[in-house]
Amino acid sequence: MSRQNGKPNFFDIFVERPAIPVVISLALILLGLRAAVEMPVLEFPEIESSSLVITTPYVGASADTVKGFVTEPIERAAATVPGVDYIDSTTTAGVSTVTAWLNLNEPSNLALAELNTRLGQIRFELPAGAEDPIITVNRADAVNAIFYLDVVMEGRSRSETADYMIRNVVPILSSIPDVQRVRIAGGRDPAMRIWLDPSRLNYLGVSAEQIRLALMANNVIAPIGRIENQQQRIDLQTSATLKTQEDFEQLVIVNIDGAIVRLGEVARIELGEVEGSQIARLSQRDNLFLAVYGLPGANEIEIGNELYTVLDEINATLPDGMHIDIGFDGTVYMRDAIREIFITLAETVLLVGIVVLLFMGSLRSALVPLITIPISLLGAMALMMAMGFSFNLLTILAIVLSVGLVVDDAIVVVENVSRLMREGMSRKQAALTSSRQLLTPIIGMSITLAAVYVPIGFLSGLTGVLIKEFAFTLAVAVLISGMIALTLSPIMSAYASPAKGQEGAMTRWVNARFSSLQRRYEAFLSHSLGWTPQLLGFAIVFSLLSVPFLLMSQQELAPIEDQNEIFVISTPPPEASLEYTHEHMFDVVDVMSNLPSATYMWQIVNPAVAIGGQQFVDPSERDFTTLDMMAETFGRLSKVPGLQAFPNSSPSLPSAGQYSVELVVTAAASAEEMQPYAEKLLAAAYASNLFLFADTNLKIDFPQAHFELNRDRIADVGLTVSGVSQQLSTYLSGNYVNRFDLDGKAYRVIPMLEGSDRLDIYALQDLKIQTPAGELVPFSSLATLVEKVGPRVLTKFQQRNSFTLFAGMIPAYTKEQGLSAIEAAAEEILPSGYIVDYAGESRQIRQEGNTLFGALGMSLAFVFLVLVVLFNRFRDPLVVLLGSVPLALAGALMFTFLGWTTLNIYSQIGLITLIGLVTKNGILIVEFANHLQRQGLTKFDAILQGASVRLRPVLMTTGATVIGHFPLVLVSGAGAEARNSIGIILVAGMLLGTFFTLVVLPSMYLALASKHEAEDVAPVAVD
């Protein structure tokens, strides 16, 4: 018996007792099937990316006042909450909005509790007229709602429909599991509107202050208690609360010399609606949207499934003329993407099966690696469920990639068993011999491929969270396939492979072709080993090319995907009203609806900005992508009068951003001092020719009417500044005085001048202010009107004054290029004391853009350490790594340099995976060559014979990987860009890496490998 048969080991039991590996495999299949049915389906791995939005109305106050007295105390409190990444704020007249952005996977419920406590501690610092802060927990990775439900309201007013939705529909939708909140977009709450008539007020000598006091004194909730005796208990009630329009009209304001003045005599009263700041639209139709938001980390597809069921039940109960449709479904893209990747999985399994069959030449022999596929994949699913993973775009992509990897070890086993049986061994003897010969290389190959992903487990931030599940899924599948190759595959190969002389015609033909190829390769290798210095010199030069390839490749966080939508942000002039913006959105929708393959457009219109999303037909029904349409869309939108409309693509990864580039500049300077630098940065952005559009949120063009109060004159008439401001607020602010009861719900009572009386700022000077003596004096006698302009909005970032430059990229350039260009301009333009920071996707790019390159270096180090343990040498691992990995990486990076794809997190994952794949082939050759040295061959003969004998399994594993992953290169549809990126890297890198492994690695072995002394090896004993 030959000495190469190996030593007995633990794994012999799986050949001696074949029922054991069969039972293990069946157990993995059963567990995997259960996991496949029960695992949740998400778009991305579950993450909690949250922000706490603190909104504090201070009706009637100027932006400067709100900023100093409301925004700044709240910012200080929010900044002390544990787990906050950064704070930003926007302040406009009457409203403060502070947003605390939490670190990734920071529990929002704990942060919310802490924030409530902090706000309670500073409540005394807020002005008496400011309302209590309202805290909303938002998903930072999803600015908009998951679903916008279109409420059709024929024959009903907006406030009536909104009231019905609040009472009857919103509670049902809010009860759906994982729904965070349901908001009515474009709705209006009912309100009792008291439209003051200034001419009637002046004629009857009634002031706004008298009206406010009368409402407060005569529209009250008056709990007077109850009476109780031994027999009964009776609750006592009064009619202290006004309920109807008639009740308010009859309210007595004042009694002047016995003449009663009622509210209806000085005001027009109607049951109307609050002055809204938002209009919802679907294409060219005004409507209401029920905006459904999911909890951070929620299973949005499950929410959608339940929502569709609940919606059918709700529609059956709605009044005639009212109906709720799906206006926008944010899960359509993720459903399509997941469906597409499952199709790719099926194609991969089919192609790998064909490749294995062709290489083996026998269906029975091909069954051995093919059976490994379902066992490994289902086993990986069982462990995925145990680790709390989900089916998502990344884990399913890992399963797709693993199809081409899990067959590798089984291919090596069945090829080795078949070869031994052709040499005359019995089935059992061949199984034992092969198991012993391949124990070390299979363990080494499996652990090596799994080890490349270990550094990813230590990554933090969004990249680490997203990639971790991908990496662990792939590693687990590979480790299980290695276990199957050591337990089930040897004995199964022995009974599936034909004995010597019993091969079929196809098997003999395939074997003959490989034998001929092996002889030619051996002859070529014998010649090329004589050129070892020249080959190593070429290898060094080509490997060094990876540096310029890397530096000159386009980089981005993730490729832009076609999500069937072009997002549009429209900005009106600074003085625009809600109606102005609403009217001009008709032109925007006309432009968008005339784009090829356009369907409908949802819109949320605010006075200062309107956002919307133009939907398109499925990519399979058009021959262009939404990215291809971006330049044309911008050109058309730029011709829309009255608005600046910018098209943009939705981010491919969970992101808080709305633009391609968002660079924040903070300083201790005022808005007026920062404006010149903002304009210079904007000019530099356009001069770079990288952007479709660029703009900044620092615009000092908002018209303001500033009344300079004459404090001496106010004091002369017995008034105070507070008293004057209060009376003006009643006329103009739209603030509510108290609430009234409407069918069991409380709504606001709002006195103010009617719109026609508020059109002219000069007419406001004629408003009458009542003195303590009862005299009515014109406001013009107490103040002087000064017209000026100010910032549209006051913004702060990390408690410093700030402005943001945002831009959209020309499709030919990446976000990384755009951000770098703006950074370079900021370096030249900004003075000392100005600090550059980032928001949105730009923040992720700068925090995490190159983290995977660090993981790439760590992966190489881990692989080296594993190989040192495997070979018990320090030189042999260098042969494996230097003879294959640098060349494969340079070959793959050549395609990013040529522009076939970009350097992004998916292509970087491909590079990390490539390290493990090419290392596996190197292990096969080097380990067998070492084995031959120990039999007594010289180093030259050992590598010559070792490489030629291992040629077939190397080509088979490479063929399975390349052909199995080739659908990723050609795939289209939802999520295609990410799969294209990783597919190009793996297919190109594996092809070139295998070529260099077969050509260069033998020369590297001859130059660097250790010498291995001959040793005795026990023969296989077969009963």
Side-chain angles (χ1 to χ4, degrees), residues 172-188:
I172 298 174
L173 298 179
S174 299
S175 65
I176 295 176
D178 289 335
V179 168
Q180 180 194 49
R181 61 191 172 100
V182 179
R183 181 177 67 86
I184 298 181
R188 304 285 190 275

Side-chain angles (χ1 to χ4, degrees), residues 215-406:
L215 287 169
M216 293 180 64
N218 295 283
N219 181 38
V220 297
I221 299 174
I224 60 176
R226 63 188 178 192
I227 61 172
E228 186 174 350
N229 56 37
Q230 294 180 351
Q231 303 298 322
Q232 61 183 350
R233 180 177 61 185
I234 300 175
D235 290 334
L236 302 178
Q237 301 177 354
T238 67
S239 58
T241 303
L242 303 178
K243 294 186 177 181
T244 66
Q245 176 181 332
E246 291 74 18
D247 291 342
F248 282 92
E249 288 176 345
Q250 295 302 313
L251 175 64
V252 175
I253 301 300
V254 67
N255 187 326
I256 304 176
D257 298 329
I260 294 176
V261 178
R262 300 182 186 275
L263 184 58
E265 298 179 54
V266 295
R268 183 176 66 84
I269 302 168
E270 67 172 348
L271 178 58
E273 58 187 29
V274 299
E275 282 194 351
S277 60
Q278 192 176 84
I279 296 175
R281 307 181 77 234
L282 190 66
S283 294
Q284 299 288 27
R285 172 172 60 84
D286 290 357
N287 70 339
L288 296 183
F289 278 137
L290 293 175
V292 181
Y293 294 81
L295 286 167
N299 186 334
E300 296 177 351
I301 292 178
E302 283 296 323
I303 293 175
N305 294 339
E306 183 67 19
L307 179 63
Y308 276 85
T309 301
V310 170
L311 207 53
D312 289 338
E313 298 172 356
I314 291 174
N315 278 321
T317 65
L318 295 179
D320 293 340
M322 187 181 293
H323 191 74
I324 303 176
D325 297 320
I326 300 291
F328 172 75
D329 182 351
T331 67
V332 170
Y333 170 75
M334 51 181 100
R335 293 175 192 270
D336 290 345
I338 291 172
R339 184 186 67 250
E340 289 290 336
I341 204 166
F342 271 116
I343 293 173
T344 304
L345 175 61
E347 293 171 346
T348 301
V349 171
L350 178 62
L351 288 174
V352 168
I354 293 173
V355 169
V356 172
L357 177 61
L358 292 177
F359 274 117
M360 297 303 302
S362 166
L363 180 59
R364 289 179 59 187
S365 298
L367 286 176
V368 177
L370 293 181
I371 285 177
T372 304
I373 296 176
I375 297 175
S376 300
L377 299 189
L378 290 171
M381 291 177 195
L383 289 176
M384 284 169 58
M385 185 174 179
M387 291 186 288
F389 292 177
S390 62
F391 281 129
N392 55 67
L393 295 179
L394 292 167
T395 53
I396 300 173
L397 179 59
I399 291 172
V400 171
L401 294 180
S402 65
V403 172
L405 308 182
V406 297

Side-chain angles (χ1 to χ4, degrees), residues 55 482 846:
T55 306
R846 282 296 165 258

